[in-house]
Amino acid sequence: MTSRLIVSDLDGTLLGSDHQLHDNTIEVLRALVSQGHHVALASGRHYNDMRVFRDQLDIPAYLISTNGAYIHAPDGTLLSATHLEPAYVETLIQLPRPPQVRLNLYRESGWYIDADAPHLLSLHASTGFRYEVVPQAAMDADGVGKVLYIGDPAALAQLECQAQEAHGRSLHITYSTIDSLEIMAGGVNKGVALTALLEKLKLTPAECLAFGDNLNDTEMLNLAGEAQVMNNAHPELFDRVSNAERIGHHGEAAVARWLAKRFAL
């Protein structure tokens, strides 16, 4: 049997509509690992947020967090970390934005936000991951894996243009949802992290199966030999990923159903 690397995004892909793992998903991934396959979770979420799902799966899963800024081994060892230049972070912190747009920093130590936003915590209800409110003027620009703006899409589009004008060539700018603008260091994305992980496992892209639903999955899906895009995916993703198969809805555990059929479980 040829071992494969199965890598999946979380929200909108592997997780259900309640942002939790379906029992069938847990069962299928455990069965695949028992057959000698490898599993990785790849998300814009913070490592401290993602590791709860790894623990629930109870398998030796690699974690690609913060859109590729960090890679952790199954035992929690940090394999790589790529931070934004502090000067670029300072610029991004100071960009003018409407008061309703929340500024977030994802650091190795946790999640900083510029003002209280309780509605954002529903996404993390099952993991208990929470932000720390830090006023903009007190935010530390060192050790930042991602700058995240959350708010009105029109306002985010303006921020994206301003970030591009300021440091565009040195940044990787993407969206995880229509109201979440995510900015990492240039060259940081899920695809680059996946390339490093494949090299570590001595596997080729052809031996990788990837699942995703949003624009921050583009590079990962284009790299994988078998790319699956969720039926609920961002409409633009289907145009950005070549040779992808459209599968079911994340709310129906479509990844698990597809894998069970693909590997005849």
Side-chain angles (χ1 to χ4, degrees):
M1 182 202 77
T2 301
S3 293
R4 308 282 181 178
L5 172 60
I6 299 154
V7 57
S8 179
D9 171 56
L10 288 175
D11 299 286
T13 304
L14 196 67
L15 302 182
S17 301
D18 57 358
H19 301 289
Q20 297 190 48
L21 290 165
H22 191 279
D23 289 344
N24 190 38
T25 300
I26 297 172
E27 181 182 350
V28 166
L29 291 179
R30 286 178 180 174
L32 291 171
V33 169
S34 72
Q35 292 182 359
H37 299 292
H38 306 278
V39 171
L41 307 179
S43 176
R45 289 184 183 238
H46 194 279
Y47 168 74
N48 290 335
D49 204 11
M50 294 180 66
R51 64 182 182 180
V52 175
F53 299 112
R54 180 194 61 202
D55 294 345
Q56 291 173 357
L57 288 169
D58 195 22
I59 58 175
Y62 289 86
L63 299 186
I64 296 171
S65 61
T66 316
N67 286 325
Y70 307 104
I71 305 174
H72 285 81
D75 65 359
T77 300
L78 179 63
L79 299 179
S80 70
T82 307
H83 297 126
L84 285 148
E85 288 290 335
Y88 302 158
V89 176
E90 289 286 1
T91 298
L92 296 173
I93 289 173
Q94 298 300 328
L95 288 182
R97 63 187 189 282
Q100 297 82 8
V101 173
R102 295 277 60 80
L103 169 66
N104 306 259
L105 303 185
Y106 269 35
R107 305 164 53 84
E108 281 191 50
S109 57
W111 169 19
Y112 291 177
I113 192 169
D114 65 335
D116 194 28
H119 66 285
L120 298 180
L121 297 176
S122 61
L123 179 68
H124 312 278
S126 64
T127 68
F129 186 58
R130 299 182 63 87
Y131 53 67
E132 177 183 349
V133 176
V134 178
Q136 175 180 320
M139 285 187 166
D140 185 353
D142 290 321
V144 175
K146 177 176 76 175
V147 175
L148 165 65
Y149 302 99
I150 300 176
D152 176 69
L156 298 187
Q158 294 182 350
L159 283 164
E160 179 184 5
C161 290
Q162 293 170 352
Q164 288 281 11
E165 291 174 0
H167 300 297
R169 293 184 179 181
S170 301
L171 305 173
H172 180 78
I173 304 175
T174 188
Y175 287 83
S176 58
T177 62
I178 60 171
D179 59 356
S180 296
L181 175 63
E182 315 221 351
I183 304 179
M184 287 69 60
V188 171
N189 58 66
K190 294 182 184 181
V192 171
L194 179 57
T195 297
L197 183 53
L198 285 167
E199 291 175 355
K200 177 177 178 58
L201 296 173
K202 296 181 170 54
L203 296 174
T204 67
E207 295 166 320
C208 178
L209 297 80
F211 300 83
D213 77 299
N214 225 303
L215 302 184
N216 62 333
D217 298 315
T218 301
E219 294 83 4
M220 175 178 79
L221 291 167
N222 275 320
L223 176 67
E226 297 180 53
Q228 286 67 235
V229 174
M230 309 305 292
N231 193 47
N232 52 275
H234 190 296
E236 289 184 24
L237 189 61
F238 298 107
D239 297 326
R240 295 190 182 193
V241 181
S242 57
N243 302 317
E245 178 182 352
R246 186 191 295 248
I247 66 173
H249 193 279
H250 76 108
E252 301 169 348
V255 173
R257 291 180 12 240
W258 190 94
L259 286 170
K261 182 178 180 180
R262 166 68 173 77
F263 291 96
L265 297 179

